Amino acid sequence: MEFFTDPLTYGFFTRALMAAVLVGVVSSVLGTFVVLRGMAFLGDALAHTILPGVVIAFLLGRSLTVGALVMGIVTALAIGVITQRTQLKEDTAIGVIFAGLFALGVALLSATSNYAGDLAHFLFGNLLGVSTSDLWTIALLGGLVLLVILLLYKEFMVISFDTVLATALRLPTTFLNYLLLILIALTIVVSLQVVGISLMLAMLVTPAAAASLLTRRLPTMMLTAAFIGALSGIAGLYSSFYLNIASGPAVVLVATLIFLLVFLFSPRSGILLQRLR
């Protein structure tokens, strides 16, 4: 029992644990739509393109959250506009913006005196450094994301499974697509402190992908993904504490391990179980 209770005597660990659970739940629930709609590359691009906003805020001594939030929303809207107003395919528009803005962020960051350390912090997160104000920010923004998903659950479900039906029902598909991009940007901002920019895609995709192998019903998939995300955060943080490894990568490694176990042994689609039948 002391294995679980001893780390909780440290305030930084308790805050990190709450942040990991919140991020695991929020990113995994939204990640179900990312997986269903095949938007993994878009999620990765958005995660990287917020770097200039974070770096500019860092250099100006302003809130990193505000910088990331502004850049994330601007990028999400820019990708949507370029895709709809030009003949370029979505992945091409994403690739252009992704590469350009990420390079801009690294270039700006290279101007700082502690380039390597700052870059590592932004790319891989600093879960054990979560402050009380960071925790409140994660809770408020994460709660907002979950609230919007709850209120527009049916609409998001329709545009994810059948765009033709969404058009026939006269749903505001353009608005909903933009809103989903903004929610992804918000979730990335929420997760920035926990897993960083480079590992954010894993928290959006991996728990939801594992859940999709276990169930086909969207509500059950969301709940399962949220459970896997929260479990990954808890197990990853304890692994980080006792093995003395970086917390963000530890969380992602646990999520990946869970996916591999599901992939191999799930009752519905486990590769090993299918061969034994």
Side-chain angles (χ1 to χ4, degrees):
M1 196 64 180
E2 293 179 353
F3 178 88
F4 296 102
T5 58
D6 283 352
L8 296 177
T9 59
Y10 300 97
F12 71 87
F13 188 90
T14 304
R15 291 191 298 272
L17 189 63
M18 289 188 286
V21 171
L22 287 170
V23 168
V25 170
V26 174
S27 59
S28 300
V29 169
L30 182 63
T32 56
F33 292 114
V34 173
V35 170
L36 289 174
R37 302 192 63 184
M39 299 171 67
F41 180 48
L42 174 59
D44 189 35
L46 278 175
H48 285 76
T49 54
I50 67 170
L51 183 61
V54 174
V55 175
I56 291 172
F58 175 75
L59 294 176
L60 296 177
R62 305 295 182 181
S63 170
L64 302 186
T65 301
V66 173
L69 183 59
V70 171
M71 183 57 69
I73 293 175
V74 168
T75 302
L77 296 177
I79 289 173
V81 169
I82 292 175
T83 302
Q84 292 189 357
R85 300 294 177 87
T86 68
Q87 296 180 348
L88 293 176
K89 293 184 178 180
E90 185 178 54
D91 61 339
T92 304
I94 293 170
V96 171
I97 295 176
F98 169 24
L101 288 181
F102 187 65
L104 175 62
V106 175
L108 290 172
L109 192 58
S110 65
T112 66
S113 58
N114 189 23
Y115 166 62
D118 294 333
L119 182 61
H121 172 76
F122 292 136
L123 291 181
F124 305 114
N126 185 24
L127 180 54
L128 296 178
V130 171
S131 64
T132 302
S133 61
D134 292 331
L135 194 58
W136 275 110
T137 301
I138 292 171
L140 290 174
L141 293 180
L144 177 61
V145 171
L146 293 178
L147 178 61
V148 173
I149 292 175
L150 178 63
L151 293 176
L152 297 175
Y153 167 77
K154 292 182 180 179
E155 288 80 359
F156 283 138
M157 180 177 65
V158 173
I159 66 171
S160 297
F161 284 104
D162 194 336
T163 54
V164 176
L165 177 60
T167 303
L169 294 175
R170 297 185 178 180
L171 293 178
T173 54
T174 301
F175 168 76
L176 291 171
N177 286 326
Y178 276 115
L179 182 58
L180 189 59
L181 291 176
I182 292 173
L183 290 180
I184 293 174
L186 281 173
T187 304
I188 290 167
V189 173
V190 167
S191 309
L192 180 63
Q193 184 83 5
V194 175
V195 292
I197 291 170
S198 63
L199 300 175
M200 180 56 225
L201 180 64
M203 293 308 295
L204 269 176
V205 173
T206 307
S212 70
L213 297 178
L214 295 171
T215 179
R216 291 296 181 189
R217 297 185 66 251
L218 184 56
T220 308
M221 189 185 300
M222 285 183 165
L223 291 174
T224 305
F227 174 76
I228 293 174
L231 179 62
S232 300
I234 295 171
L237 187 58
Y238 272 95
S239 300
S240 170
F241 184 84
Y242 283 109
L243 299 178
N244 195 28
I245 57 177
S247 52
V251 172
V252 172
L253 285 173
V254 171
T256 305
L257 176 61
I258 293 174
F259 172 81
L260 291 175
L261 292 175
V262 171
F263 176 73
L264 293 173
F265 300 108
S266 69
R268 293 185 66 257
S269 57
I271 300 298
L272 291 184
L273 288 184
Q274 286 181 358
R275 292 186 176 182
L276 293 175
R277 291 173 182 171

